[in-house]
Amino acid sequence: MISTLLVLIPGVCLAASLATAVLGPRVLGPRSHWPVVAAIGLAFLLSLPLLAGVYRQAQTATERGGSVGYEHIVTLWTWAAVDEAHWAHGGDRFRIDVSLRADPLSAVMLVVVTLVAFLVAVYSIGYMHGDPGYGRFFAYIGLFVFSMTMLVSVSNFVLLYVFWEAVGLCSYLLIGFWYHKPEAAAAGKKAFLVNRVGDFGFALGVFLIWTTFGTLNFHDTVDSAGHAVAGVLGQWGLAHPKLWYTPGWSLTAICLLLMLGACGKSAQLPLHVWLPDAMEGPTPVSALIHAATMVTAGVYMVARCAPLFVASRDAPQMVAAIGAATAFVAAVIAVTQTDLKRILAYSTISQLGYMFLGLGAGTLLGITAGMFHLVTHAFFKGLLFLAAGSVMHAMGGVIDLGRFGGLRRRLPITHVTFLVGCLALAGVPLLSGYFSKDEILASIYPLGLEGQDAGLYLALFLLGLATAGLTAFYTFRAYFLAFHGEEKIPHEAGHHAAESPPVMTWPLVVLAAFSAIAGGALWMTGDLESLLEATPSLAGLAKLESAHAAEDGHGTVALVSSLVVLVGIGLAWWVYARRPDTLPRLVRAMAAVGVYQLSLGKFFFDHAYHVVLVWPLAAVARASAWFDRAVIDGLVDAVGRLPGALGRSLRPLQGGLVPLYALGMLLGTLVLLGALLL
């Protein structure tokens, strides 16, 4: 049954996308959403028994006392097999199978992706109603979900890269969906180009994996004795006897290149600049990209490759440092933004940084905490983006917080659900974000560590705490500006600003419920952590001493982080709701130390890229264009003009006068006679 489900989940999404693309414009018309919405809903329903089956098998494997974990691989066909291509150290020929896998990590991702995608697709029925590209939009959505479900289901690095690129293609198509708008077209191109940098690193990492390990499979087939045969992500990382000669530099290089790919897809420093501009696409696209699909691909990939990163001495610290720096910088930028969707975009960048911070702990606790935050973040960030879309729908497309406010009475459902999302994002106790965020902070809490590692993780822990306070502040800043204070309605909304239709509000209610209770339920039962531990690539990773110390300090971490969050919320309430007159003083204080300018200027990353890359390349392009026109085209044109010039020089000889021709013949004869005599 698991084999059938693995094929059906992405298969129904692809079939629906193709059907909508072919039938939508002429046959389906305003009902173009039905195939895709039904297919994604069916994919979600199919992912539930898949998760249940994997859960049962994982429990059975755990009860047997094995450390291999559970995986089920189905091979559909062989894509490529080159007999002449062999690994330098021996082994089998180069072979790429189209294989799908079911293990705890992929099963959890399939449920999250299809659930959030289904709610976003339902919401899109109301949001995109009447758009000229209605059918095209849903065809893209179906293709997007198909690509993401394949990305988390494949079983080797080549197919992972293929669908990594497919997800990028779909994001490009959807970000630039309204291509007639110059801003949307530019945002799509920016996302495409920035991701090319990360994807190039990822491709190099895949090449290096083959030359180092002689296989591109995550794991090869489990043998009859129940042990994993050699694979890149073996149960003990690089401890497999066949891999004893693996040089340390190649392992570190692989991790660096894979992380470069993750930085592109998951918008981490310094490749984060494309994600805020991606807000030019339709709001449901923003919710889908930020909550369940593209940006989570990098987190999934690093979690999948955890044995490689753990086996490398420096890679975990690198991942944690990038994550902590990204989380803090993005949170600082979000404090001064006025575009509601861009605030949430920088929030996504920051929360993804949190996930990488957990993965960078280098322990099983940190890896499961990062994936736990991915799950909870999918719910409350999807909720916040869809609620922002509901506000935008009511305000006639306006999303600037300076142009509207006091909407809590006009948009009661949007107001309540947005508040739930803000509480979860800020990490208020007992909501989903609280449990997953504190798990991450606990995983890097440096209790029990000594030496340089202790100092590094202490700094990262403090940076994570500061980010938690900033997150609470900017989240509730947006909430108070949008829903409290004097009511302001922009003229674009006319006199009809009202709550969104039920097809848009019901997904908000469902996501709000998950945002409120999912984190607590998963934390209290411990099912998610125990399930993820049965993933083959994680089953052999022992909890290090530092992980146990972090668990012992969880209560302290939870208390401190809760106090920091409450201080951030209280400060936002005081400045934006209770005493707005204090805002100028706060701005002046931030400006005095240069923080306000950095935040408002987005740390000038875009300016730096323009100075370092865009302007020099533009200058080279202009010089190349001049050289092409003046030199290359000039030479080509000169060659083309030469026959004409020769013809014009001989034209006077053809005057049409017979005496002149006779004179010419006489002169020619005299010249010939003279030559003979000489």
Side-chain angles (χ1 to χ4, degrees):
M1 182 184 75
I2 290 180
S3 299
T4 304
L5 293 174
L6 272 175
V7 175
L8 285 178
I9 290 172
V12 294
C13 297
L14 178 61
S17 176
L18 295 175
T20 303
V22 174
L23 302 176
R26 297 181 180 274
V27 179
L28 297 174
R31 296 182 295 277
S32 295
H33 59 272
W34 278 114
V36 172
V37 173
I40 299 176
L42 178 60
F44 168 64
L45 294 177
L46 294 173
S47 67
L48 293 177
L50 176 67
L51 178 63
V54 170
Y55 183 78
R56 287 193 300 269
Q57 296 292 342
Q59 280 188 320
T60 302
T62 302
E63 290 170 358
R64 290 175 180 171
S67 59
V68 176
Y70 172 75
E71 62 181 356
H72 179 87
I73 301 173
V74 52
T75 300
L76 303 180
W77 68 85
T78 298
W79 183 18
V82 183
D83 295 333
E84 294 78 11
H86 286 272
W87 187 31
H89 302 283
D92 297 330
R93 62 179 180 171
F94 180 82
R95 178 188 176 97
I96 300 297
D97 292 323
V98 178
S99 300
L100 303 180
R101 67 183 297 104
D103 62 17
L105 183 58
S106 62
V108 169
M109 287 296 297
L110 285 172
V111 171
V112 173
V113 169
T114 54
L115 172 58
V116 176
F118 173 68
L119 295 172
V120 170
V122 172
Y123 176 95
S124 301
I125 297 173
Y127 190 89
M128 298 299 293
H129 177 71
D131 191 280
Y134 192 74
R136 178 167 57 93
F137 175 83
F138 280 97
Y140 289 167
I141 290 291
L143 185 62
F144 205 173
V145 178
F146 160 73
S147 301
M148 189 64 192
T149 53
M150 285 296 291
L151 187 149
V152 301
S153 300
V154 296
S155 193
N156 62 65
F157 281 97
V158 173
L159 289 183
L160 178 63
Y161 184 79
V162 168
F163 289 103
W164 184 274
E165 293 295 339
V167 166
L169 169 65
C170 294
S171 68
Y172 166 73
L173 293 173
L174 286 166
I175 292 169
F177 179 77
W178 289 319
Y179 54 85
H180 55 276
K181 294 172 53 180
E183 299 84 0
K189 289 185 288 186
K190 186 175 183 178
F192 180 81
L193 292 173
V194 173
N195 273 275
R196 296 284 64 74
V197 177
D199 295 353
F200 179 70
F202 188 13
L204 292 180
V206 172
F207 296 153
L208 193 53
I209 286 171
W210 162 254
T211 59
T212 303
F213 297 101
T215 179
L216 290 170
N217 293 330
F218 296 160
H219 312 276
D220 292 326
T221 309
V222 177
D223 64 18
S224 58
H227 299 289
V229 182
V232 177
L233 308 179
Q235 63 204 24
W236 294 101
L238 299 182
H240 194 281
K242 284 183 67 176
L243 307 178
W244 63 271
Y245 49 80
T246 301
W249 70 265
S250 64
L251 178 59
T252 302
I254 288 170
C255 294
L256 286 170
L257 292 168
L258 293 180
M259 188 60 194
L260 179 59
C263 285
K265 274 291 182 290
S266 295
Q268 298 296 284
L269 292 177
L271 301 180
H272 67 289
V273 292
W274 67 270
L275 193 57
D277 289 352
M279 299 303 97
E280 295 296 338
T283 300
V285 173
S286 302
L288 194 59
I289 290 176
H290 289 247
T293 52
M294 182 169 174
V295 297
T296 62
V299 179
Y300 163 79
M301 185 263 286
V302 173
R304 173 66 72 189
C305 299
L308 293 178
F309 284 85
V310 173
S312 172
R313 180 176 181 180
D314 302 320
Q317 292 92 330
M318 172 197 66
V319 173
I322 291 174
T326 303
F328 181 76
V329 168
V332 172
I333 295 174
V335 168
T336 58
Q337 304 305 304
T338 57
D339 185 303
L340 182 56
K341 287 175 64 176
R342 276 180 167 76
I343 292 173
L344 298 178
Y346 280 109
S347 172
T348 298
I349 297 172
S350 182
Q351 297 304 303
L352 289 166
Y354 257 121
M355 298 174 204
F356 283 107
L357 179 59
L359 296 176
T363 64
L364 193 59
L365 176 62
I367 295 165
T368 56
M371 291 304 301
F372 184 16
H373 198 55
L374 184 150
V375 172
T376 60
H377 177 265
F379 297 134
F380 59 72
K381 188 52 60 67
L383 167 62
L384 288 170
F385 266 108
L386 295 186
S390 180
V391 171
M392 194 174 179
H393 183 267
M395 296 296 104
V398 175
I399 201 65
D400 188 345
L401 289 170
R403 299 189 57 197
F404 60 84
L407 302 179
R408 63 186 183 278
R409 293 184 180 87
R410 282 187 179 262
L411 310 177
I413 299 176
T414 302
H415 165 239
V416 173
T417 53
F418 191 88
L419 176 59
V420 173
C422 288
L423 292 170
L425 171 59
V428 172
L430 304 183
L431 277 84
S432 293
Y434 162 76
F435 295 101
S436 56
K437 178 200 61 161
D438 282 0
E439 283 284 328
I440 291 174
L441 291 176
S443 69
I444 62 166
Y445 189 56
L447 188 62
L449 290 177
E450 297 179 356
Q452 293 181 349
D453 286 348
L456 172 63
Y457 281 104
L458 177 60
L460 297 179
F461 173 76
L462 294 177
L463 207 57
L465 277 181
T467 303
L470 288 171
T471 302
F473 178 79
Y474 72 68
T475 301
F476 277 86
R477 167 182 175 266
Y479 167 73
F480 288 126
L481 287 175
F483 293 99
H484 287 266
E486 181 182 356
E487 184 177 274
K488 291 188 297 183
I489 306 295
H491 66 84
E492 289 88 346
H495 302 287
H496 307 289
E499 186 61 270
S500 300
V503 72
M504 294 173 64
T505 55
W506 274 111
L508 297 181
V509 174
V510 174
L511 285 171
F514 278 105
S515 300
I517 64 176
L522 293 173
W523 181 79
M524 286 187 291
T525 61
D527 286 342
L528 180 62
E529 181 178 354
S530 61
L531 178 62
L532 290 176
E533 289 176 6
T535 303
S537 55
L538 304 179
L541 297 178
K543 291 186 178 180
L544 302 178
E545 184 178 349
S546 58
H548 291 294
E551 288 180 329
D552 295 336
H554 186 85
T556 303
V557 171
L559 177 61
V560 173
S561 66
S562 297
L563 290 175
V564 170
V565 166
L566 293 177
V567 169
I569 295 174
L571 182 60
W573 171 78
W574 179 262
V575 173
Y576 293 99
R578 184 73 175 86
R579 293 289 301 275
D581 57 300
T582 62
L583 179 59
R585 292 199 294 272
L586 178 62
V587 171
R588 285 195 296 271
M590 293 175 62
V593 294
V595 176
Y596 184 78
Q597 294 88 338
L598 280 175
S599 176
L600 192 62
K602 305 169 188 176
F603 278 72
F604 303 104
F605 276 100
D606 285 294
H607 297 79
Y609 279 128
H610 273 81
V611 172
V612 175
L613 293 175
V614 177
W615 291 349
L617 289 175
V620 171
R622 286 192 293 270
S624 300
W626 174 86
F627 185 80
D628 181 59
R629 290 192 301 269
V631 180
I632 304 297
D633 285 354
L635 290 174
V636 173
D637 292 343
V639 172
R641 286 192 294 267
L642 183 60
L646 292 174
R648 285 190 298 272
S649 65
L650 296 174
R651 188 179 300 164
L653 300 177
Q654 301 294 325
L657 298 174
V658 174
L660 183 62
Y661 296 156
L663 177 62
M665 294 171 64
L666 178 61
L667 291 175
T669 303
L670 292 174
V671 170
L672 289 173
L673 290 173
L676 291 173
L677 292 174
L678 293 174

